[in-house]
Amino acid sequence: MKSPLAEHIRKFIALNEAEEKILLSRVNLLSLKKKEVILKEGQICNDNYFVAKGCLRLFFMNDKGIEQTTQFAIENWWMSDNMSFIDQRPSTFYIQAVERSEIFSLNKKAQEQLFKELPQLEKYFRIIFQKAYATAQFRIKYLYNLSKEDNYRFFASSYPEFVQRIPQYMLASYLNLTPEYLSEIRKKHS
């Protein structure tokens, strides 16, 4: 059976069968239940997570005790609390499965070992993180530049798969809207 992780990596770098075996020996496949939390605030994030199937979200609790979603990851996307992962300091985020999910977990030590054994993986991760950073820059621009309604319309047209899969309260949190206001916007545009 083909590994979705190896297939994704091959879109960016060369990876032969022997190298794929090395890669897959260093990752763990996890099955997550809907709403299962794999990282809690205060824990150190020791893993990068690749979504083979399903959806994850990254969120924090604001000072009013309300969940604020900052990121989603669907199939072929990576997720981690990068600051906690890199600096090995306590996380300020939670990572949770939005739906039943199958993910590959790559531990920090295993990742460093892989970089030594398969140096081309550093290029892969550089490309992935550059794309993620560019996407984050655009997201910030749209949050500042677009009205809340225009931000929703842009998101819905750019990522229609999310609008169908993500519960409304999570989508509202991600777009910095109330669920009620998001409902009004959706009615207006349906």
Side-chain angles (χ1 to χ4, degrees), residues 32-38 51 53-59 67 69 71-74 79 95-101 103 162 164-171:
L32 304 177
K33 297 175 188 164
K34 182 178 181 177
K35 295 192 177 185
E36 186 172 343
V37 174
I38 55 173
V51 180
K53 183 179 179 184
C55 181
L56 301 178
R57 75 172 176 136
L58 182 78
F59 70 96
E67 296 176 1
T69 301
Q71 185 181 352
F72 291 105
I74 57 171
M79 178 171 281
I95 297 177
Q96 179 186 49
V98 174
E99 56 194 34
R100 289 180 55 91
S101 301
I103 64 171
F162 280 106
Q164 301 302 318
R165 289 173 73 174
I166 305 299
Q168 183 165 311
Y169 78 96
M170 288 183 191
L171 184 57

PDB file of all heavy atoms in Angstrom, residues 32-38 51 53-59 67 69 71-74 79 95-101 103 162 164-171:
ATOM      1  N   LEU A  32      -7.139   9.010  15.295  1.00  0.00           N
ATOM      2  CA  LEU A  32      -7.730   9.918  16.270  1.00  0.00           C
ATOM      3  C   LEU A  32      -9.248   9.917  16.163  1.00  0.00           C
ATOM      4  O   LEU A  32      -9.799   9.866  15.069  1.00  0.00           O
ATOM      5  CB  LEU A  32      -7.231  11.353  16.038  1.00  0.00           C
ATOM      6  CG  LEU A  32      -5.728  11.571  16.038  1.00  0.00           C
ATOM      7  CD1 LEU A  32      -5.404  13.033  15.733  1.00  0.00           C
ATOM      8  CD2 LEU A  32      -5.122  11.156  17.368  1.00  0.00           C
ATOM      9  N   LYS A  33      -9.890   9.983  17.313  1.00  0.00           N
ATOM     10  CA  LYS A  33     -11.345  10.120  17.346  1.00  0.00           C
ATOM     11  C   LYS A  33     -11.700  11.589  17.153  1.00  0.00           C
ATOM     12  O   LYS A  33     -10.893  12.480  17.433  1.00  0.00           O
ATOM     13  CB  LYS A  33     -11.880   9.655  18.700  1.00  0.00           C
ATOM     14  CG  LYS A  33     -11.635   8.202  18.992  1.00  0.00           C
ATOM     15  CD  LYS A  33     -12.083   7.856  20.395  1.00  0.00           C
ATOM     16  CE  LYS A  33     -11.643   6.455  20.746  1.00  0.00           C
ATOM     17  NZ  LYS A  33     -11.706   6.209  22.179  1.00  0.00           N
ATOM     18  N   LYS A  34     -12.912  11.828  16.719  1.00  0.00           N
ATOM     19  CA  LYS A  34     -13.414  13.185  16.599  1.00  0.00           C
ATOM     20  C   LYS A  34     -13.292  13.884  17.954  1.00  0.00           C
ATOM     21  O   LYS A  34     -13.623  13.305  18.986  1.00  0.00           O
ATOM     22  CB  LYS A  34     -14.876  13.156  16.146  1.00  0.00           C
ATOM     23  CG  LYS A  34     -15.493  14.517  15.936  1.00  0.00           C
ATOM     24  CD  LYS A  34     -16.925  14.378  15.440  1.00  0.00           C
ATOM     25  CE  LYS A  34     -17.529  15.741  15.213  1.00  0.00           C
ATOM     26  NZ  LYS A  34     -18.896  15.627  14.664  1.00  0.00           N
ATOM     27  N   LYS A  35     -12.749  15.085  17.945  1.00  0.00           N
ATOM     28  CA  LYS A  35     -12.544  15.951  19.113  1.00  0.00           C
ATOM     29  C   LYS A  35     -11.409  15.500  20.029  1.00  0.00           C
ATOM     30  O   LYS A  35     -11.188  16.079  21.089  1.00  0.00           O
ATOM     31  CB  LYS A  35     -13.833  16.146  19.911  1.00  0.00           C
ATOM     32  CG  LYS A  35     -14.900  16.883  19.131  1.00  0.00           C
ATOM     33  CD  LYS A  35     -16.033  17.307  20.028  1.00  0.00           C
ATOM     34  CE  LYS A  35     -17.046  18.113  19.224  1.00  0.00           C
ATOM     35  NZ  LYS A  35     -18.096  18.653  20.072  1.00  0.00           N
ATOM     36  N   GLU A  36     -10.654  14.463  19.638  1.00  0.00           N
ATOM     37  CA  GLU A  36      -9.522  14.017  20.452  1.00  0.00           C
ATOM     38  C   GLU A  36      -8.421  15.086  20.420  1.00  0.00           C
ATOM     39  O   GLU A  36      -8.059  15.592  19.364  1.00  0.00           O
ATOM     40  CB  GLU A  36      -8.978  12.691  19.944  1.00  0.00           C
ATOM     41  CG  GLU A  36      -7.899  12.106  20.828  1.00  0.00           C
ATOM     42  CD  GLU A  36      -7.491  10.700  20.415  1.00  0.00           C
ATOM     43  OE1 GLU A  36      -8.227  10.027  19.662  1.00  0.00           O
ATOM     44  OE2 GLU A  36      -6.416  10.267  20.872  1.00  0.00           O
ATOM     45  N   VAL A  37      -7.900  15.406  21.586  1.00  0.00           N
ATOM     46  CA  VAL A  37      -6.845  16.414  21.714  1.00  0.00           C
ATOM     47  C   VAL A  37      -5.494  15.696  21.777  1.00  0.00           C
ATOM     48  O   VAL A  37      -5.309  14.778  22.576  1.00  0.00           O
ATOM     49  CB  VAL A  37      -7.066  17.279  22.977  1.00  0.00           C
ATOM     50  CG1 VAL A  37      -5.904  18.243  23.198  1.00  0.00           C
ATOM     51  CG2 VAL A  37      -8.389  18.040  22.875  1.00  0.00           C
ATOM     52  N   ILE A  38      -4.554  16.131  20.925  1.00  0.00           N
ATOM     53  CA  ILE A  38      -3.225  15.506  20.919  1.00  0.00           C
ATOM     54  C   ILE A  38      -2.146  16.436  21.468  1.00  0.00           C
ATOM     55  O   ILE A  38      -1.018  16.016  21.676  1.00  0.00           O
ATOM     56  CB  ILE A  38      -2.837  14.991  19.515  1.00  0.00           C
ATOM     57  CG1 ILE A  38      -2.921  16.096  18.473  1.00  0.00           C
ATOM     58  CG2 ILE A  38      -3.689  13.793  19.150  1.00  0.00           C
ATOM     59  CD1 ILE A  38      -2.397  15.681  17.105  1.00  0.00           C
ATOM     60  N   VAL A  51      -1.459  15.073   8.106  1.00  0.00           N
ATOM     61  CA  VAL A  51      -2.813  14.533   8.019  1.00  0.00           C
ATOM     62  C   VAL A  51      -2.931  13.645   6.781  1.00  0.00           C
ATOM     63  O   VAL A  51      -2.836  14.121   5.653  1.00  0.00           O
ATOM     64  CB  VAL A  51      -3.866  15.658   7.971  1.00  0.00           C
ATOM     65  CG1 VAL A  51      -5.269  15.073   7.886  1.00  0.00           C
ATOM     66  CG2 VAL A  51      -3.735  16.574   9.185  1.00  0.00           C
ATOM     67  N   LYS A  53      -5.668  11.480   6.587  1.00  0.00           N
ATOM     68  CA  LYS A  53      -7.116  11.494   6.409  1.00  0.00           C
ATOM     69  C   LYS A  53      -7.721  12.244   7.574  1.00  0.00           C
ATOM     70  O   LYS A  53      -7.333  12.025   8.730  1.00  0.00           O
ATOM     71  CB  LYS A  53      -7.659  10.062   6.356  1.00  0.00           C
ATOM     72  CG  LYS A  53      -9.138   9.966   6.114  1.00  0.00           C
ATOM     73  CD  LYS A  53      -9.593   8.523   6.054  1.00  0.00           C
ATOM     74  CE  LYS A  53     -11.098   8.486   5.835  1.00  0.00           C
ATOM     75  NZ  LYS A  53     -11.609   7.127   5.851  1.00  0.00           N
ATOM     76  N   GLY A  54      -8.657  13.137   7.290  1.00  0.00           N
ATOM     77  CA  GLY A  54      -9.329  13.848   8.366  1.00  0.00           C
ATOM     78  C   GLY A  54      -8.964  15.316   8.416  1.00  0.00           C
ATOM     79  O   GLY A  54      -8.567  15.906   7.410  1.00  0.00           O
ATOM     80  N   CYS A  55      -9.080  15.870   9.603  1.00  0.00           N
ATOM     81  CA  CYS A  55      -8.858  17.303   9.783  1.00  0.00           C
ATOM     82  C   CYS A  55      -8.439  17.576  11.227  1.00  0.00           C
ATOM     83  O   CYS A  55      -9.021  17.039  12.162  1.00  0.00           O
ATOM     84  CB  CYS A  55     -10.139  18.069   9.456  1.00  0.00           C
ATOM     85  SG  CYS A  55     -10.012  19.863   9.614  1.00  0.00           S
ATOM     86  N   LEU A  56      -7.420  18.420  11.378  1.00  0.00           N
ATOM     87  CA  LEU A  56      -6.963  18.893  12.689  1.00  0.00           C
ATOM     88  C   LEU A  56      -7.179  20.393  12.775  1.00  0.00           C
ATOM     89  O   LEU A  56      -7.277  21.076  11.757  1.00  0.00           O
ATOM     90  CB  LEU A  56      -5.471  18.610  12.882  1.00  0.00           C
ATOM     91  CG  LEU A  56      -4.985  17.171  12.808  1.00  0.00           C
ATOM     92  CD1 LEU A  56      -3.464  17.126  12.976  1.00  0.00           C
ATOM     93  CD2 LEU A  56      -5.667  16.308  13.858  1.00  0.00           C
ATOM     94  N   ARG A  57      -7.201  20.889  13.988  1.00  0.00           N
ATOM     95  CA  ARG A  57      -7.213  22.342  14.183  1.00  0.00           C
ATOM     96  C   ARG A  57      -6.268  22.713  15.306  1.00  0.00           C
ATOM     97  O   ARG A  57      -6.048  21.941  16.250  1.00  0.00           O
ATOM     98  CB  ARG A  57      -8.606  22.874  14.455  1.00  0.00           C
ATOM     99  CG  ARG A  57      -9.123  22.584  15.853  1.00  0.00           C
ATOM    100  CD  ARG A  57     -10.429  23.318  16.098  1.00  0.00           C
ATOM    101  NE  ARG A  57     -10.980  22.978  17.396  1.00  0.00           N
ATOM    102  CZ  ARG A  57     -11.491  23.853  18.247  1.00  0.00           C
ATOM    103  NH1 ARG A  57     -11.561  25.123  17.926  1.00  0.00           N
ATOM    104  NH2 ARG A  57     -11.970  23.462  19.406  1.00  0.00           N
ATOM    105  N   LEU A  58      -5.711  23.907  15.197  1.00  0.00           N
ATOM    106  CA  LEU A  58      -4.847  24.499  16.211  1.00  0.00           C
ATOM    107  C   LEU A  58      -5.642  25.643  16.818  1.00  0.00           C
ATOM    108  O   LEU A  58      -6.184  26.478  16.084  1.00  0.00           O
ATOM    109  CB  LEU A  58      -3.571  25.025  15.554  1.00  0.00           C
ATOM    110  CG  LEU A  58      -2.512  25.631  16.468  1.00  0.00           C
ATOM    111  CD1 LEU A  58      -1.732  24.531  17.173  1.00  0.00           C
ATOM    112  CD2 LEU A  58      -1.557  26.492  15.654  1.00  0.00           C
ATOM    113  N   PHE A  59      -5.747  25.672  18.144  1.00  0.00           N
ATOM    114  CA  PHE A  59      -6.499  26.758  18.777  1.00  0.00           C
ATOM    115  C   PHE A  59      -5.902  27.088  20.136  1.00  0.00           C
ATOM    116  O   PHE A  59      -5.082  26.347  20.681  1.00  0.00           O
ATOM    117  CB  PHE A  59      -7.989  26.406  18.903  1.00  0.00           C
ATOM    118  CG  PHE A  59      -8.323  25.333  19.904  1.00  0.00           C
ATOM    119  CD1 PHE A  59      -8.728  25.654  21.197  1.00  0.00           C
ATOM    120  CD2 PHE A  59      -8.259  23.987  19.560  1.00  0.00           C
ATOM    121  CE1 PHE A  59      -9.047  24.662  22.119  1.00  0.00           C
ATOM    122  CE2 PHE A  59      -8.576  22.990  20.472  1.00  0.00           C
ATOM    123  CZ  PHE A  59      -8.974  23.319  21.750  1.00  0.00           C
ATOM    124  N   GLU A  67     -12.546  29.480  22.851  1.00  0.00           N
ATOM    125  CA  GLU A  67     -11.605  28.890  21.902  1.00  0.00           C
ATOM    126  C   GLU A  67     -11.433  29.801  20.683  1.00  0.00           C
ATOM    127  O   GLU A  67     -12.421  30.247  20.106  1.00  0.00           O
ATOM    128  CB  GLU A  67     -12.109  27.522  21.428  1.00  0.00           C
ATOM    129  CG  GLU A  67     -12.183  26.497  22.527  1.00  0.00           C
ATOM    130  CD  GLU A  67     -12.786  25.170  22.065  1.00  0.00           C
ATOM    131  OE1 GLU A  67     -13.130  25.038  20.874  1.00  0.00           O
ATOM    132  OE2 GLU A  67     -12.914  24.273  22.912  1.00  0.00           O
ATOM    133  N   THR A  69      -9.666  29.540  17.092  1.00  0.00           N
ATOM    134  CA  THR A  69      -8.995  28.681  16.115  1.00  0.00           C
ATOM    135  C   THR A  69      -8.095  29.526  15.233  1.00  0.00           C
ATOM    136  O   THR A  69      -8.514  30.548  14.700  1.00  0.00           O
ATOM    137  CB  THR A  69     -10.032  27.925  15.258  1.00  0.00           C
ATOM    138  OG1 THR A  69     -10.855  27.145  16.131  1.00  0.00           O
ATOM    139  CG2 THR A  69      -9.347  27.015  14.252  1.00  0.00           C
ATOM    140  N   GLN A  71      -5.714  27.778  12.960  1.00  0.00           N
ATOM    141  CA  GLN A  71      -5.246  27.012  11.809  1.00  0.00           C
ATOM    142  C   GLN A  71      -6.022  25.709  11.701  1.00  0.00           C
ATOM    143  O   GLN A  71      -6.425  25.131  12.712  1.00  0.00           O
ATOM    144  CB  GLN A  71      -3.756  26.719  11.985  1.00  0.00           C
ATOM    145  CG  GLN A  71      -3.091  26.028  10.835  1.00  0.00           C
ATOM    146  CD  GLN A  71      -1.606  25.769  11.124  1.00  0.00           C
ATOM    147  OE1 GLN A  71      -1.063  26.235  12.112  1.00  0.00           O
ATOM    148  NE2 GLN A  71      -0.978  25.002  10.266  1.00  0.00           N
ATOM    149  N   PHE A  72      -6.222  25.268  10.471  1.00  0.00           N
ATOM    150  CA  PHE A  72      -6.763  23.943  10.187  1.00  0.00           C
ATOM    151  C   PHE A  72      -5.760  23.197   9.328  1.00  0.00           C
ATOM    152  O   PHE A  72      -4.945  23.806   8.631  1.00  0.00           O
ATOM    153  CB  PHE A  72      -8.086  24.030   9.407  1.00  0.00           C
ATOM    154  CG  PHE A  72      -9.233  24.571  10.201  1.00  0.00           C
ATOM    155  CD1 PHE A  72      -9.698  25.862   9.987  1.00  0.00           C
ATOM    156  CD2 PHE A  72      -9.872  23.791  11.156  1.00  0.00           C
ATOM    157  CE1 PHE A  72     -10.765  26.361  10.711  1.00  0.00           C
ATOM    158  CE2 PHE A  72     -10.941  24.281  11.889  1.00  0.00           C
ATOM    159  CZ  PHE A  72     -11.387  25.573  11.665  1.00  0.00           C
ATOM    160  N   ALA A  73      -5.838  21.879   9.352  1.00  0.00           N
ATOM    161  CA  ALA A  73      -5.032  21.041   8.457  1.00  0.00           C
ATOM    162  C   ALA A  73      -5.896  19.887   7.987  1.00  0.00           C
ATOM    163  O   ALA A  73      -6.465  19.160   8.807  1.00  0.00           O
ATOM    164  CB  ALA A  73      -3.787  20.518   9.173  1.00  0.00           C
ATOM    165  N   ILE A  74      -6.016  19.752   6.666  1.00  0.00           N
ATOM    166  CA  ILE A  74      -6.721  18.621   6.083  1.00  0.00           C
ATOM    167  C   ILE A  74      -5.691  17.724   5.399  1.00  0.00           C
ATOM    168  O   ILE A  74      -4.492  17.921   5.564  1.00  0.00           O
ATOM    169  CB  ILE A  74      -7.832  19.068   5.108  1.00  0.00           C
ATOM    170  CG1 ILE A  74      -7.256  19.939   3.992  1.00  0.00           C
ATOM    171  CG2 ILE A  74      -8.951  19.768   5.850  1.00  0.00           C
ATOM    172  CD1 ILE A  74      -8.246  20.252   2.878  1.00  0.00           C
ATOM    173  N   MET A  79       0.735  20.024  10.583  1.00  0.00           N
ATOM    174  CA  MET A  79       0.361  20.895  11.692  1.00  0.00           C
ATOM    175  C   MET A  79       1.275  20.628  12.872  1.00  0.00           C
ATOM    176  O   MET A  79       1.665  19.482  13.132  1.00  0.00           O
ATOM    177  CB  MET A  79      -1.084  20.677  12.117  1.00  0.00           C
ATOM    178  CG  MET A  79      -1.470  21.555  13.309  1.00  0.00           C
ATOM    179  SD  MET A  79      -3.223  21.521  13.656  1.00  0.00           S
ATOM    180  CE  MET A  79      -3.806  22.648  12.408  1.00  0.00           C
ATOM    181  N   ILE A  95      -3.996  21.168  19.960  1.00  0.00           N
ATOM    182  CA  ILE A  95      -4.242  20.571  18.657  1.00  0.00           C
ATOM    183  C   ILE A  95      -5.290  19.486  18.866  1.00  0.00           C
ATOM    184  O   ILE A  95      -5.144  18.628  19.744  1.00  0.00           O
ATOM    185  CB  ILE A  95      -2.970  19.980  18.015  1.00  0.00           C
ATOM    186  CG1 ILE A  95      -1.947  21.086  17.749  1.00  0.00           C
ATOM    187  CG2 ILE A  95      -3.319  19.252  16.705  1.00  0.00           C
ATOM    188  CD1 ILE A  95      -0.622  20.597  17.175  1.00  0.00           C
ATOM    189  N   GLN A  96      -6.344  19.556  18.043  1.00  0.00           N
ATOM    190  CA  GLN A  96      -7.490  18.670  18.211  1.00  0.00           C
ATOM    191  C   GLN A  96      -7.945  18.139  16.854  1.00  0.00           C
ATOM    192  O   GLN A  96      -7.891  18.855  15.848  1.00  0.00           O
ATOM    193  CB  GLN A  96      -8.634  19.460  18.850  1.00  0.00           C
ATOM    194  CG  GLN A  96      -9.908  18.677  19.058  1.00  0.00           C
ATOM    195  CD  GLN A  96     -11.036  19.568  19.550  1.00  0.00           C
ATOM    196  OE1 GLN A  96     -11.295  20.629  18.995  1.00  0.00           O
ATOM    197  NE2 GLN A  96     -11.708  19.129  20.606  1.00  0.00           N
ATOM    198  N   ALA A  97      -8.419  16.899  16.842  1.00  0.00           N
ATOM    199  CA  ALA A  97      -9.030  16.338  15.637  1.00  0.00           C
ATOM    200  C   ALA A  97     -10.438  16.908  15.491  1.00  0.00           C
ATOM    201  O   ALA A  97     -11.233  16.841  16.422  1.00  0.00           O
ATOM    202  CB  ALA A  97      -9.084  14.820  15.728  1.00  0.00           C
ATOM    203  N   VAL A  98     -10.716  17.485  14.344  1.00  0.00           N
ATOM    204  CA  VAL A  98     -12.050  18.023  14.064  1.00  0.00           C
ATOM    205  C   VAL A  98     -12.995  16.878  13.709  1.00  0.00           C
ATOM    206  O   VAL A  98     -14.177  16.919  14.013  1.00  0.00           O
ATOM    207  CB  VAL A  98     -11.988  19.052  12.907  1.00  0.00           C
ATOM    208  CG1 VAL A  98     -13.371  19.522  12.492  1.00  0.00           C
ATOM    209  CG2 VAL A  98     -11.104  20.235  13.303  1.00  0.00           C
ATOM    210  N   GLU A  99     -12.447  15.857  13.063  1.00  0.00           N
ATOM    211  CA  GLU A  99     -13.202  14.672  12.673  1.00  0.00           C
ATOM    212  C   GLU A  99     -12.292  13.471  12.860  1.00  0.00           C
ATOM    213  O   GLU A  99     -11.110  13.632  13.155  1.00  0.00           O
ATOM    214  CB  GLU A  99     -13.681  14.803  11.212  1.00  0.00           C
ATOM    215  CG  GLU A  99     -12.560  15.047  10.233  1.00  0.00           C
ATOM    216  CD  GLU A  99     -13.022  15.516   8.856  1.00  0.00           C
ATOM    217  OE1 GLU A  99     -14.025  16.235   8.748  1.00  0.00           O
ATOM    218  OE2 GLU A  99     -12.342  15.150   7.873  1.00  0.00           O
ATOM    219  N   ARG A 100     -12.825  12.272  12.698  1.00  0.00           N
ATOM    220  CA  ARG A 100     -11.967  11.074  12.774  1.00  0.00           C
ATOM    221  C   ARG A 100     -10.813  11.281  11.809  1.00  0.00           C
ATOM    222  O   ARG A 100     -11.021  11.647  10.652  1.00  0.00           O
ATOM    223  CB  ARG A 100     -12.745   9.819  12.420  1.00  0.00           C
ATOM    224  CG  ARG A 100     -13.749   9.416  13.482  1.00  0.00           C
ATOM    225  CD  ARG A 100     -14.509   8.146  13.096  1.00  0.00           C
ATOM    226  NE  ARG A 100     -13.622   7.031  12.790  1.00  0.00           N
ATOM    227  CZ  ARG A 100     -13.197   6.135  13.679  1.00  0.00           C
ATOM    228  NH1 ARG A 100     -13.567   6.228  14.934  1.00  0.00           N
ATOM    229  NH2 ARG A 100     -12.395   5.155  13.316  1.00  0.00           N
ATOM    230  N   SER A 101      -9.600  11.042  12.287  1.00  0.00           N
ATOM    231  CA  SER A 101      -8.423  11.361  11.482  1.00  0.00           C
ATOM    232  C   SER A 101      -7.363  10.284  11.596  1.00  0.00           C
ATOM    233  O   SER A 101      -7.234   9.624  12.620  1.00  0.00           O
ATOM    234  CB  SER A 101      -7.820  12.701  11.942  1.00  0.00           C
ATOM    235  OG  SER A 101      -8.754  13.750  11.820  1.00  0.00           O
ATOM    236  N   ILE A 103      -3.309  10.251  11.135  1.00  0.00           N
ATOM    237  CA  ILE A 103      -2.188  11.177  10.989  1.00  0.00           C
ATOM    238  C   ILE A 103      -0.864  10.459  11.192  1.00  0.00           C
ATOM    239  O   ILE A 103      -0.788   9.451  11.900  1.00  0.00           O
ATOM    240  CB  ILE A 103      -2.299  12.371  11.969  1.00  0.00           C
ATOM    241  CG1 ILE A 103      -2.212  11.902  13.424  1.00  0.00           C
ATOM    242  CG2 ILE A 103      -3.574  13.168  11.724  1.00  0.00           C
ATOM    243  CD1 ILE A 103      -2.092  13.023  14.425  1.00  0.00           C
ATOM    244  N   PHE A 162     -13.413  23.314   3.205  1.00  0.00           N
ATOM    245  CA  PHE A 162     -13.495  23.629   4.630  1.00  0.00           C
ATOM    246  C   PHE A 162     -14.902  24.032   5.031  1.00  0.00           C
ATOM    247  O   PHE A 162     -15.386  23.645   6.088  1.00  0.00           O
ATOM    248  CB  PHE A 162     -12.530  24.763   4.995  1.00  0.00           C
ATOM    249  CG  PHE A 162     -11.114  24.322   5.179  1.00  0.00           C
ATOM    250  CD1 PHE A 162     -10.162  24.611   4.218  1.00  0.00           C
ATOM    251  CD2 PHE A 162     -10.719  23.641   6.299  1.00  0.00           C
ATOM    252  CE1 PHE A 162      -8.846  24.212   4.378  1.00  0.00           C
ATOM    253  CE2 PHE A 162      -9.413  23.234   6.477  1.00  0.00           C
ATOM    254  CZ  PHE A 162      -8.479  23.519   5.514  1.00  0.00           C
ATOM    255  N   GLN A 164     -17.645  23.065   3.992  1.00  0.00           N
ATOM    256  CA  GLN A 164     -18.515  21.900   4.111  1.00  0.00           C
ATOM    257  C   GLN A 164     -18.138  21.007   5.299  1.00  0.00           C
ATOM    258  O   GLN A 164     -19.006  20.374   5.891  1.00  0.00           O
ATOM    259  CB  GLN A 164     -18.451  21.073   2.814  1.00  0.00           C
ATOM    260  CG  GLN A 164     -18.869  21.836   1.587  1.00  0.00           C
ATOM    261  CD  GLN A 164     -20.271  22.389   1.686  1.00  0.00           C
ATOM    262  OE1 GLN A 164     -21.173  21.720   2.160  1.00  0.00           O
ATOM    263  NE2 GLN A 164     -20.462  23.636   1.284  1.00  0.00           N
ATOM    264  N   ARG A 165     -16.855  20.963   5.655  1.00  0.00           N
ATOM    265  CA  ARG A 165     -16.372  19.995   6.645  1.00  0.00           C
ATOM    266  C   ARG A 165     -16.285  20.536   8.062  1.00  0.00           C
ATOM    267  O   ARG A 165     -16.368  19.773   9.021  1.00  0.00           O
ATOM    268  CB  ARG A 165     -14.978  19.506   6.247  1.00  0.00           C
ATOM    269  CG  ARG A 165     -14.983  18.617   5.041  1.00  0.00           C
ATOM    270  CD  ARG A 165     -13.601  18.299   4.581  1.00  0.00           C
ATOM    271  NE  ARG A 165     -12.915  17.368   5.464  1.00  0.00           N
ATOM    272  CZ  ARG A 165     -11.728  16.845   5.195  1.00  0.00           C
ATOM    273  NH1 ARG A 165     -11.104  17.154   4.082  1.00  0.00           N
ATOM    274  NH2 ARG A 165     -11.162  16.014   6.021  1.00  0.00           N
ATOM    275  N   ILE A 166     -16.037  21.808   8.198  1.00  0.00           N
ATOM    276  CA  ILE A 166     -15.749  22.395   9.509  1.00  0.00           C
ATOM    277  C   ILE A 166     -17.050  22.829  10.187  1.00  0.00           C
ATOM    278  O   ILE A 166     -17.858  23.518   9.585  1.00  0.00           O
ATOM    279  CB  ILE A 166     -14.815  23.621   9.347  1.00  0.00           C
ATOM    280  CG1 ILE A 166     -13.550  23.261   8.581  1.00  0.00           C
ATOM    281  CG2 ILE A 166     -14.498  24.248  10.696  1.00  0.00           C
ATOM    282  CD1 ILE A 166     -12.689  22.223   9.225  1.00  0.00           C
ATOM    283  N   PRO A 167     -17.241  22.451  11.446  1.00  0.00           N
ATOM    284  CA  PRO A 167     -18.419  22.944  12.171  1.00  0.00           C
ATOM    285  C   PRO A 167     -18.454  24.476  12.176  1.00  0.00           C
ATOM    286  O   PRO A 167     -17.411  25.132  12.240  1.00  0.00           O
ATOM    287  CB  PRO A 167     -18.228  22.400  13.590  1.00  0.00           C
ATOM    288  CG  PRO A 167     -17.334  21.210  13.430  1.00  0.00           C
ATOM    289  CD  PRO A 167     -16.425  21.554  12.281  1.00  0.00           C
ATOM    290  N   GLN A 168     -19.655  25.013  12.106  1.00  0.00           N
ATOM    291  CA  GLN A 168     -19.814  26.457  11.968  1.00  0.00           C
ATOM    292  C   GLN A 168     -19.127  27.238  13.092  1.00  0.00           C
ATOM    293  O   GLN A 168     -18.503  28.263  12.841  1.00  0.00           O
ATOM    294  CB  GLN A 168     -21.296  26.823  11.906  1.00  0.00           C
ATOM    295  CG  GLN A 168     -21.518  28.307  11.678  1.00  0.00           C
ATOM    296  CD  GLN A 168     -22.919  28.631  11.254  1.00  0.00           C
ATOM    297  OE1 GLN A 168     -23.442  28.014  10.358  1.00  0.00           O
ATOM    298  NE2 GLN A 168     -23.519  29.616  11.904  1.00  0.00           N
ATOM    299  N   TYR A 169     -19.201  26.752  14.320  1.00  0.00           N
ATOM    300  CA  TYR A 169     -18.592  27.500  15.418  1.00  0.00           C
ATOM    301  C   TYR A 169     -17.067  27.551  15.289  1.00  0.00           C
ATOM    302  O   TYR A 169     -16.429  28.539  15.665  1.00  0.00           O
ATOM    303  CB  TYR A 169     -19.031  26.958  16.787  1.00  0.00           C
ATOM    304  CG  TYR A 169     -18.346  25.685  17.236  1.00  0.00           C
ATOM    305  CD1 TYR A 169     -17.239  25.735  18.083  1.00  0.00           C
ATOM    306  CD2 TYR A 169     -18.804  24.436  16.826  1.00  0.00           C
ATOM    307  CE1 TYR A 169     -16.613  24.572  18.501  1.00  0.00           C
ATOM    308  CE2 TYR A 169     -18.191  23.284  17.249  1.00  0.00           C
ATOM    309  CZ  TYR A 169     -17.088  23.357  18.076  1.00  0.00           C
ATOM    310  OH  TYR A 169     -16.462  22.209  18.499  1.00  0.00           O
ATOM    311  N   MET A 170     -16.455  26.483  14.738  1.00  0.00           N
ATOM    312  CA  MET A 170     -15.004  26.492  14.524  1.00  0.00           C
ATOM    313  C   MET A 170     -14.628  27.416  13.381  1.00  0.00           C
ATOM    314  O   MET A 170     -13.635  28.145  13.460  1.00  0.00           O
ATOM    315  CB  MET A 170     -14.494  25.078  14.226  1.00  0.00           C
ATOM    316  CG  MET A 170     -14.491  24.160  15.414  1.00  0.00           C
ATOM    317  SD  MET A 170     -13.780  22.564  14.924  1.00  0.00           S
ATOM    318  CE  MET A 170     -14.196  21.578  16.344  1.00  0.00           C
ATOM    319  N   LEU A 171     -15.408  27.388  12.309  1.00  0.00           N
ATOM    320  CA  LEU A 171     -15.155  28.275  11.178  1.00  0.00           C
ATOM    321  C   LEU A 171     -15.318  29.730  11.605  1.00  0.00           C
ATOM    322  O   LEU A 171     -14.495  30.585  11.256  1.00  0.00           O
ATOM    323  CB  LEU A 171     -16.094  27.942  10.019  1.00  0.00           C
ATOM    324  CG  LEU A 171     -15.892  28.731   8.735  1.00  0.00           C
ATOM    325  CD1 LEU A 171     -14.475  28.580   8.199  1.00  0.00           C
ATOM    326  CD2 LEU A 171     -16.905  28.282   7.684  1.00  0.00           C
TER     327      LEU A 171
END
